[in-house]
Amino acid sequence: MKPQPINEQYLLPTYARRQIAFERGQNATLFDEAGNDYIDFASGIGVNSVGYANPRLSAAVADQAAKILHISNLYLNRNQAELAQTIARLSGSDAQVFFGNSGAEANECAFKIARKYGEKRGRYEIITLRNSFHGRTIAALKATAQDKFHEHFGPFPDGFTYADDLDHAAKLIGKRTIAVMVEIVQGEGGVTPLDKDRLLSLAKLLRDQDLLLITDEIQCGVYRCGEFLASQIYGVKPDIFTLAKGLGGGVPIGAAATTIKNALGFGDHASTFGGNFLATKAALVTLEILEGLRASGALGRTIDYFGDRCRATTLNFPTLFTGVTGIGLMKALVAKDGAAQKAIIDAAHENRLLVLRAGEDRVRLLPPLTISLEEIGEGFERLDRACRSL
Ligand SMILES: Cc1ncc(COP(=O)(O)O)c(C=O)c1O
């Protein structure tokens, strides 16, 4: 593949880009500038929840662009209000929502809600889990309990403590603790679902002490695991949950939702672009599509078939894989080791299949939720071919 004629001299080199230049896509199939097709098991890292060129989403975005893109939060915004109402309804809670533009921004809002809630009791500390990932802003980085992300960027704000697991989190609760924050399925850390019983007992412990459970559902939420929130699958009711990635179907949007009534007040928080007409319209239509997909049973069928093919692949190549992890369409094939992980990911790309890494030994699969059974079949054939070549 010819490298793109874009001069990297003008970009900060923070990303390791594969030399593939995509031009367009159709559902879960992408086409590069030379017209080669790729099957997408990555969704732009869990973002393209309704696939590429979704006719309903692209029509809504075009329609909104022809009216108003942005008006600021100084005026009423019907899309934003309707989206907040939809998020509350789908979450089965009385939540109020603040909109930002990214996952990290959603989490920053969650930290502020928790700190304000704890202020009167002198509580501000948030406990997070080892191998978590909560974003790249300074506070979200500090909440991310992986030392490798912290190098170069200190000093960090106080008020974050790390627990090895949920039992340890329960033990760490002290007089300064205000919240425990978890990903229901840890994404970047390795696609690791939390233990249900332990999470339920931690949630009860927190509730009994009037402390908060924050679920970062930025990667695992918005139907990625089969329900609107992954916490709904666990039967857990968070006090605060955060969303981003798949929410706008590719248009940037983040949301922090809380069941604490008026948790933030006038002047406490703001975001210039947050929840603008374009992003909230895109999210409204994306949620409409996904709610329908879930209600029709199509999402469930896709999840079953995708899971079957994951298991079959790991069984067919026992020298490369040791198993499958994850929930719904948030899956990882566990590679034998880091070298196998890298070789499989490279070979998949050579066979025109997009996959992601997670943790030190996992091949993460986050296909669009609208992926067809044919696209899944074709993707796994390419993965089989990639594995046979190793
Ligand atoms: C669980 C989780 N939280 C937060 C983030 C940060 O989101 P963003 O990159 O949109 O700031 C991510 C991104 O990968 C994530 O997976």
Side-chain angles (χ1 to χ4, degrees), residues 15-16 38 46 87 136 143 182 215 240 271 288 322 345 348 350 361:
Y15 301 107
Y38 290 71
I87 289 173
R136 298 283 194 154
V182 299
T215 57
I240 305 170
S271 169
E288 221 175 87
T322 61
I345 293 174
E350 276 156 31
D361 59 4

Side-chain angles (χ1 to χ4, degrees), residues 76-95:
L76 298 177
N77 177 336
R78 188 180 297 277
N79 294 349
Q80 196 183 103
E82 280 178 17
L83 180 61
Q85 191 179 22
T86 303
I87 289 173
R89 177 176 61 78
L90 294 176
S91 71
S93 70
D94 240 349

Side-chain angles (χ1 to χ4, degrees), residues 14 20 23 67 70 204 217 243 254 275 290 305 326 360 372:
T14 56
I20 309 173
E23 194 171 58
K67 292 177 183 160
H70 177 90
K204 181 171 182 325
E217 311 213 21
L243 304 172
L290 295 178
Y305 183 50
E360 299 306 317
S372 69

Side-chain angles (χ1 to χ4, degrees), residues 234-253:
Y234 277 60
V236 166
K237 286 194 173 301
D239 303 283
I240 305 170
F241 60 88
T242 53
L243 304 172
K245 288 198 183 280
L247 183 59
V251 178
I253 182 166

Side-chain angles (χ1 to χ4, degrees), residues 102-104 107 133-135 183 188 216 218-219 245:
S102 67
N107 283 341
F133 185 85
H134 296 297
E183 295 158 84
E188 309 297 310
D216 173 342
I218 286 161
Q219 191 162 152
K245 288 198 183 280

